[in-house]
Amino acid sequence: MEFEAVIGMEVHVEINSRSKVFCACATDFHAPPNTNVCPICLGMPGTLPVLNVDMVDKSVAVGLALNCAISRWSKMDRKNYFYPDLAKNYQISQYDLPLCHGGWLDIEVDGAPRRIGITRAHMEEDTARNTHTLAGGQSGVDFNRCGLPLLEIVTEPDIRSAKEAHAYLTALKQILQYLGVSDCNMEEGSLRAEANISIRPTGQEAFGTKTEVKNVASFSGVFKAIDYEISRQAQVLRSGGKVIQETRGWDADRGVTFSQRLKESAHDYRYFPEPDLVPIVVDEAWEQRIRESLPELPIARKARVESQYGLSAYDAGVITMTRALADYYEAVAAAGADPKKAANWLTVELQALLTDSKQEITECRVAPAALAELVALIESGDISGKMAKDILGDMFITGKTARAIVAEKGLVQISDSGELAEIIRRVLAENPAQVEQYRAGKEKVLGFLVGQVMRATQGKANPQILNDLLRDELAP
């Protein structure tokens, strides 16, 4: 029997507000444990939460970017459960009236478009962080994370494969970073993805029993966990067993999911409206203010960059992968660089330097205008492409301009035909045997002679002019 996967994603995004969602505590991830805490986020009796309006602004922005409707009236609820990372025994979240609902996100998988429905995006507070690897086998709880602004984005069960799930997460992360609402750092827990996975016989309408895979620390891990879970469930059903609704973890070392606990239902949490917070009323004027502040989003920017600068779809996709990279590229083009050549130098040579040094484009010491100048020096014939690679390496380390490095090292390319012809004649005179071999039909010797001229000019000879002059001099 063939099966079809039915997958829904739940993504928790930490919103990068300066203070927590219901108190004024700082949100610094790197602060020592339990230093960014107060009676409110520690759940002390008698304290009252106050909603951070920055959280609402950024959540509305995410909702609009995901084509959601924004609720004119919503509220916060208490989600009751006991766990060591939740001091007050309930989490403030949203239940039946989320802030954002009914949207979609378009993705592309193997060149084919897919639309993934967004059920809702609701605000809540993060829990504390449990650590079970302390010395002596002890566990600890860090309440710095408790109360951080969290947005949970839930999809419809529209995803059909691990590849689609990966494409969805990639597109979602790209939008969140374009909006500037989160750093989406999975290692630090700023973005956490959970997959609800079930399978059903191909052609069947009814859903199968789902499992939830949690605590996956990378997109590649999500891909592998979903692939594994689909295979596991198929194996269970084919052997006559039943899939149990449960929460499963992902063991990256063994490449398997494992049972953690039976899955709770909504009624297990005994939701009720949070009595200490007033309803959230987002009127048309508020929504419009946020809508007008949205940046150009990835799909639109890719199409514009491709059209405006005459780039291939691939290059436009690479350049607009992040907002920072797209901003950098457009600054290089605005500084006068040939758009296609600027794209090549940015996506190949500069990107390689960034990758090797583990730097982001925002940390790069090569200013956009400096890269434009480097491209212009190649275009004018002042330096060769090979020289430019070396010069770019120096620019990357020192932050100096291309022209300054050329002047310091005397790297101007020799394009003067008279000067080059004289050097070529001297080289030919020093290598009579090779000249004779070339004239006897041994074409490969030309490469040797080019190398000798390059050596004599310390690599400064203009390659095109050199080749033309050399062939002329070698002609019988």
Side-chain angles (χ1 to χ4, degrees), residues 282-299:
V282 179
D283 59 19
E284 289 186 17
W286 189 348
E287 178 182 323
Q288 185 60 25
R289 176 175 61 80
I290 302 296
R291 190 183 294 281
E292 290 172 357
S293 71
L294 294 180
E296 187 179 27
L297 294 174
I299 291 178

Side-chain angles (χ1 to χ4, degrees), residues 195-229:
N196 289 292
I197 307 160
S198 66
I199 62 172
R200 61 187 176 188
T202 303
Q204 177 180 299
E205 286 289 325
F207 292 160
T209 303
K210 67 182 179 182
T211 60
E212 183 182 40
V213 180
K214 299 173 73 82
N215 301 324
V216 188
S218 68
F219 283 8
S220 62
V222 173
F223 181 92
K224 293 174 184 174
I226 290 174
D227 241 9
Y228 175 85
E229 188 59 15

Side-chain angles (χ1 to χ4, degrees), residues 14-15 17-18 32 240 284 380 386 450:
E14 276 185 2
I15 299 297
S17 181
R18 294 176 62 185
E284 289 186 17
S380 65
K386 183 178 182 310
V450 168

Side-chain angles (χ1 to χ4, degrees), residues 92-123:
I92 301 178
S93 180
Q94 291 191 293
Y95 177 45
D96 54 338
L97 294 171
L99 182 66
C100 316
H101 56 91
W104 75 84
L105 175 59
D106 288 330
I107 61 173
E108 190 175 293
V109 180
D110 294 333
R114 289 273 289 122
R115 174 162 290 185
I116 307 300
I118 304 294
T119 310
R120 56 190 283 158
H122 65 260
M123 301 180 296

Side-chain angles (χ1 to χ4, degrees), residues 108-249:
E108 190 175 293
V109 180
D110 294 333
R114 289 273 289 122
R115 174 162 290 185
I116 307 300
I118 304 294
T119 310
R120 56 190 283 158
H122 65 260
M123 301 180 296
E124 60 187 23
E125 60 180 336
D126 208 345
T127 60
R129 184 190 302 274
N130 293 323
T131 304
H132 303 293
T133 55
L134 300 180
Q138 295 185 324
S139 294
V141 185
D142 179 7
F143 282 91
N144 283 354
R145 199 180 74 173
C146 190
L148 292 185
L150 206 61
L151 188 68
E152 180 173 348
I153 302 166
V154 183
T155 75
E156 294 291 302
D158 292 341
I159 298 170
R160 293 290 174 267
S161 67
K163 188 178 282 187
E164 287 187 7
H166 190 276
Y168 166 76
L169 291 175
T170 302
L172 178 62
K173 179 181 177 183
Q174 193 181 20
I175 285 178
L176 295 169
Q177 290 181 324
Y178 261 70
L179 292 173
V181 300
S182 175
D183 61 15
C184 297
N185 187 331
M186 291 190 82
E187 290 182 354
E188 295 183 357
S190 301
L191 189 150
R192 282 120 58 190
E194 299 164 7
N196 289 292
I197 307 160
S198 66
I199 62 172
R200 61 187 176 188
T202 303
Q204 177 180 299
E205 286 289 325
F207 292 160
T209 303
K210 67 182 179 182
T211 60
E212 183 182 40
V213 180
K214 299 173 73 82
N215 301 324
V216 188
S218 68
F219 283 8
S220 62
V222 173
F223 181 92
K224 293 174 184 174
I226 290 174
D227 241 9
Y228 175 85
E229 188 59 15
I230 291 171
S231 299
R232 186 192 69 83
Q233 292 186 18
Q235 190 174 6
V236 169
L237 295 179
R238 287 193 177 112
S239 62
K242 289 185 178 178
V243 175
I244 301 170
Q245 183 169 330
E246 61 183 343
T247 297
R248 299 180 69 86

Side-chain angles (χ1 to χ4, degrees), residues 6 20 155 236 427 470 475:
V6 178
K20 293 184 179 180
T155 75
V236 169
V427 167
L470 189 55

